[in-house]
Amino acid sequence: MARRGIFNSNRSILVLVACICFAIAVLAGAGIVDTGRISWTDLGLFFGFLSFIF
């Protein structure tokens, strides 16, 4: 049986996007990155929630 890559399912992609959003939120909270009006923590929670639905 052939091995499937980690990016073949929607769930793994959504988890990856959620982790990236949380990483940006941490950098914005530390003052390293200025992102303007985007709430990266809320966006990360949204994608994390979607990954459990799918």
Side-chain angles (χ1 to χ4, degrees), residues 10 12 23 32 34 49:
N10 288 338
S12 62
I32 297 172
D34 183 22
F49 179 71

Side-chain angles (χ1 to χ4, degrees), residues 1-49:
M1 183 185 302
R3 260 185 83 154
R4 296 178 62 183
I6 62 169
F7 299 116
N8 285 346
S9 69
N10 288 338
R11 185 178 208 177
S12 62
I13 293 172
L14 288 171
V15 169
L16 179 68
V17 170
C19 289
I20 290 171
C21 289
F22 282 125
I24 293 172
V26 168
L27 292 175
I32 297 172
V33 177
D34 183 22
T35 57
R37 296 178 183 223
I38 298 174
S39 177
W40 290 100
T41 305
D42 292 341
L43 197 59
L45 287 171
F46 174 72
F47 284 116
F49 179 71

